[in-house]
Structure formats: C-alpha cells, structure tokens
Amino acid sequence: MIRVLIADDHPVVRQGLRTFLDLQEDITVVGEAADGAEAVALADELVPDVLLLDLKMPVLDGLGALARLSGALPRVIVLTSVSDRSDVAPAMRAGAAGFLYKDVDPNALVQAVRAVHGGQVLLAPEAAEAMLAGANGSPTPMGPVTLTEREREVLALIAAGNSNREIARSLSVAEKTVKTHVSNVLMKLGVQDRTQAALYAVRHGLA
Amino acid sequence: MIRVLIADDHPVVRQGLRTFLDLQEDITVVGEAADGAEAVALADELVPDVLLLDLKMPVLDGLGALARLSGALPRVIVLTSVSDRSDVAPAMRAGAAGFLYKDVDPNALVQAVRAVHGGQVLLAPEAAEAMLAGANGSPTPMGPVTLTEREREVLALIAAGNSNREIARSLSVAEKTVKTHVSNVLMKLGVQDRTQAALYAVRHGLA
DNA sequence: ACGTTCCTTGGTCCTAGGTCCATATGCCCA
DNA sequence: TGGGCATATGGACCTAGGACCAAGGAACGT
C-alpha cells in the first residue's frame, strides 16, 4: 500500500486528487496539507511514501518545503499548474523524484506515483525538455562526459572547494587559464556554476 | 608493512627520507618521484599506502598531483619546506591526510606515517593553527554547528546547487535576505564560499 | 517591560566567477 | 601540409557572491 500525502493550497485540487487516488487499491491518501509548512509537518508525522507537492503555495512554497524535508525523505512528486520551465531544474536539484503538470492524465498520475514509489524518477515530457535543453543551450550530448586531463584536474580542485586563484597557484598557470578550463568544465557537465560542478563531481565519484 | 612513496624534487631529501624510513621494520619505501606528474604515475603503478608529497615541485606541484590522484587514493602526507600558512587549507581540502614541515623530527615523521596509514589525520601544530585560525578569523568554536531552521533550509538549497536568486524565489524572500542567511551559514560552518558549504552539507548529511 | 534570538530588508562596496572572443603553441592524425 | 584538439593566455565585460553595517518586527523567556 502506497501512502500518499497531498500538499496543495487549493481544496478542490486536494479533494480531486484524494478521491481519485483512493480509488486505487494499492494507494491510500494519508493526509492533506494546504501549505508548505503544513506539508513538512505532516510529512514528519505521517511518514508518507510519496508526497504530491504543489509548488505555488502560501506560507512556504514547494521548493522551500522540499528543502525542509531533508532527512525524512518521502519520494516527492512536484505537481505544478503553470508550466513554468524555470521551476524544473531547481526542484529536481532540491530532490524531487518527479515533476508533473496538473493537466496530467489521472491514470498517468497514478502510474507516476507507483513509479516514483518504486524508486524511479519521472518527468513530464515538457519538464524533461526543460531539464535537458532548458537552462543551458546545449542539448546535453549525454554519454559519460569526456573531460580532458587538465579539466579533470581543475574539477577535482573545484570539488575540493578551491577558488580559481588557488587552483591557478596549484597548477602554476594564470587565473585566466583556470577560468577558461572552468567554463569548459561547466559547459561539458551541463551545469551553471562551480558549486553544481563540485556536487556533480562528488556524486559521480570524480573527486 | 606500510608501503611508502616519496615525491620530492630534491634528491638529497628523497635519499634522506628513504634511508631513514627503510630503517623502520614496518615501513618500506617502494618508490621515489621527482615531480608531481611522476608521483601520480608511480602512485598508480605502485599503489603505495602512504605518499609523502612535497608541495613545491616542477612540472606539476603537490596540489596538482593531489588533484590528479582522484581514485587511486594513497593516504597523502604533505611535506613542505616553507611554512607558508596559506598552503594548508587548500591541501587538506584537496584530500591530504597529513601536513608536516620538513624540519619535523624524523621520529615524529615515522609516527605520522603510521598514524595516517591508520586512517588518522595529522597536522603539524603550525598547520593546525593555520587551518583553524587561518583563513577565517574565527577560532572555529567547534561543536555540532547549530544552524537555525531558516539557515538549514538555505543550506539545503545551496547544496542542491541553487543560486541566491533561485533560493530567494523558493523561499519568497528578497535576495538580500538570502545573502544574509548565506553569510551567516558560511560563518557558522567556517567555510569561505557556497561551494564549500555545499560540500560540507553533503558530507555531513545535511542535504 | 526587557533582552535575546530569529527572520527580514535595505544599502554600499569589492571581489570572485563566468562569458565571449581572439590568439598562439604543440601535437597527433589524416 | 592542413585540420583538429589540448593547453595557455589576454582583454573586455557583466553578474553573482559575499562582507559589512544598520534596523525593524515577531516570538519567547525572565
């Protein structure tokens, strides 16, 4: 039985989701929250398997709630009404396991709940597109990113928390050079800044 | 038997270290490198337990070598001649397990090799001082850093790779506010920038 | 009531980080 | 010999990040 918590500031939406989800024999809605703070509190209390989270909520919005969940960790599916591309990346980075738009087919939503509960990550097509092509212009050529020796070295130092100046000193090159390498690394990894690069490195064991 | 690799551009130093270390019954010097590149190559080839690494070397300096070691992972003791405080932090961040000055008592060095091999981290007193008081002015009050709710939230979002602007949007506050929180977090964690904070968060499971 | 902590916002100011564009060398490969 | 890649560097330029300083409101405990 998949225990689901619904967080949405719109009562009708909650009601709709609840009744439909409760019709599924393997899903049970264990609670509803009207804002982010309540969602966090209930997540702690009810320990749901999956949290359906609206992004736009009063008091504390979805992303804020996501950030606050650190530790408890239900699987979170972000359910947003407006199809604002720019919300996708931050949400996924903050630990969401799914990203869907509210116009999603109910049956697809049920599938999503099951998939996410099973450990998968699920994105609406538009969201996936936003993630891949979105922020950076490159279509993310995929594959096991190939960095040059020098770039790997620079990345390792970034992942160690060093500044460009420190890296330049370590490698005995000009800071300008380091910047160039950093830019290339960011581009290749498809991330926006050194912090994301550092996180990428540790997560992928490149550090 | 602790297998040690020595990396120093000064032949005399290498010779001195080798003869002394080889006198120890539980230590054997398996190789010598005259520069960083050679050190990396030999570390790969010989898979030593401990690497004694000079910082100032031609071709590729100690820090560069440290960065390149990613993966092989011998325990590294940085052995530096000049007592330049500013080298300590970057080296430790890059993964060094020990930091000693060359005027160290030979017996203390041997102890250090054993300690580091045993998994401990060992700093020369001056180095420890540089680490603690060094970069940041605060003496690092220690203890399990106590962040406020809001600060934890901000840190979580930093650790997710979000920018101040994105964080501000998530929490529905002004970017100025976020900056203040970030500054406070950096101060409390005793780190210099958001990248280090993010790494701290993931390593300490705060993300 | 009073002080403290937390959260918030504002302002200034400087530095670090990154982008874009161009260049030069060396090397390897076709 | 021409082309592509890796490396290193320069300059111009803009933005994000952070430090420092100040201050007001809310909550809470004494």
Side-chain angles (χ1 to χ4, degrees):
Chain A
M1 189 65 90
I2 306 177
R3 297 159 49 78
V4 176
L5 173 61
I6 299 173
D8 195 302
D9 59 331
H10 221 129
V12 244
V13 175
R14 292 203 301 276
Q15 190 49 244
L17 289 172
R18 153 160 264 166
T19 52
F20 187 78
L21 288 175
D22 270 339
L23 281 181
Q24 312 303 315
E25 43 194 36
D26 58 340
I27 297 178
T28 177
V29 175
V30 296
E32 298 179 13
D35 63 63
E38 203 180 332
V40 174
L42 285 179
D44 264 357
E45 187 184 329
L46 304 173
V47 198
D49 297 307
V50 175
L51 168 57
L52 290 183
L53 187 65
D54 186 20
L55 275 190
K56 196 184 60 53
M57 286 189 295
V59 186
L60 179 66
D61 82 342
L63 269 190
L66 256 181
R68 232 170 211 164
L69 282 176
S70 349
L73 297 191
R75 300 282 291 173
V76 178
I77 297 180
V78 169
L79 252 190
T80 183
S81 39
V82 290
S83 54
D84 184 349
R85 252 85 167 143
S86 67
D87 284 327
V88 184
M92 297 311 290
R93 287 204 299 268
F99 198 103
L100 300 175
Y101 297 103
K102 284 188 183 162
D103 60 3
V104 66
D105 173 72
N107 292 302
L109 174 60
V110 171
Q111 295 297 335
V113 170
R114 295 199 185 104
V116 164
H117 177 244
Q120 296 189 282
V121 168
L122 194 144
L123 301 177
E126 303 88 335
E129 186 196 326
M131 272 296 282
L132 299 180
N136 45 39
S138 71
T140 311
M142 51 146 289
V145 184
T146 52
L147 299 178
T148 67
E149 253 309 286
R150 206 50 159 176
E151 287 164 354
R152 265 194 296 282
E153 213 170 336
V154 169
L155 178 56
L157 289 167
I158 288 177
N162 292 292
S163 67
N164 287 336
R165 189 187 308 277
E166 289 170 329
I167 295 173
R169 283 212 314 154
S170 301
L171 306 183
S172 305
V173 296
E175 196 177 331
K176 301 286 184 93
T177 308
V178 174
K179 284 189 175 189
T180 302
H181 288 316
V182 171
S183 281
N184 292 332
V185 168
L186 297 185
M187 195 183 50
K188 288 189 179 180
L189 298 187
V191 297
Q192 280 67 55
D193 55 53
R194 70 197 297 100
T195 300
Q196 288 176 29
L199 294 167
Y200 178 101
V202 305
R203 293 200 216 291
H204 293 68
L206 305 181
Chain B
M1 189 64 91
I2 306 177
R3 297 159 48 78
V4 176
L5 172 62
I6 298 173
D8 196 304
D9 59 332
H10 221 129
V12 243
V13 175
R14 291 203 302 275
Q15 190 49 245
L17 289 173
R18 151 160 263 165
T19 53
F20 186 79
L21 288 175
D22 270 338
L23 282 180
Q24 313 303 315
E25 42 193 35
D26 58 340
I27 295 178
T28 178
V29 174
V30 295
E32 298 180 14
D35 62 64
E38 203 179 333
V40 174
L42 285 179
D44 265 357
E45 186 184 330
L46 305 173
V47 197
D49 297 308
V50 175
L51 167 57
L52 290 183
L53 186 66
D54 186 20
L55 275 191
K56 195 184 61 52
M57 286 189 295
V59 186
L60 178 67
D61 82 341
L63 268 192
L66 254 182
R68 236 170 209 166
L69 282 176
S70 346
L73 297 191
R75 300 282 293 172
V76 178
I77 296 179
V78 168
L79 253 189
T80 183
S81 39
V82 290
S83 55
D84 185 349
R85 253 84 169 143
S86 67
D87 284 326
V88 184
M92 296 312 289
R93 286 205 300 269
F99 198 103
L100 300 175
Y101 296 103
K102 284 188 183 162
D103 60 3
V104 66
D105 173 73
N107 293 301
L109 175 59
V110 171
Q111 295 297 336
V113 170
R114 296 196 184 106
V116 164
H117 176 243
Q120 294 190 283
V121 168
L122 195 142
L123 300 177
E126 303 89 334
E129 187 195 325
M131 272 296 281
L132 299 180
N136 46 38
S138 73
T140 311
M142 54 146 289
V145 185
T146 52
L147 298 178
T148 67
E149 252 309 287
R150 205 51 159 177
E151 286 162 354
R152 265 194 296 282
E153 214 170 335
V154 168
L155 178 56
L157 289 166
I158 288 176
N162 292 293
S163 67
N164 287 337
R165 190 189 307 279
E166 288 171 328
I167 295 174
R169 282 213 314 155
S170 300
L171 306 183
S172 305
V173 297
E175 196 177 331
K176 300 287 183 90
T177 309
V178 174
K179 284 189 173 189
T180 303
H181 288 316
V182 171
S183 283
N184 292 333
V185 168
L186 297 185
M187 194 183 51
K188 288 188 179 179
L189 298 187
V191 296
Q192 280 67 56
D193 54 53
R194 68 197 298 100
T195 301
Q196 288 177 29
L199 294 167
Y200 178 101
V202 304
R203 294 201 215 289
H204 293 67
L206 304 181

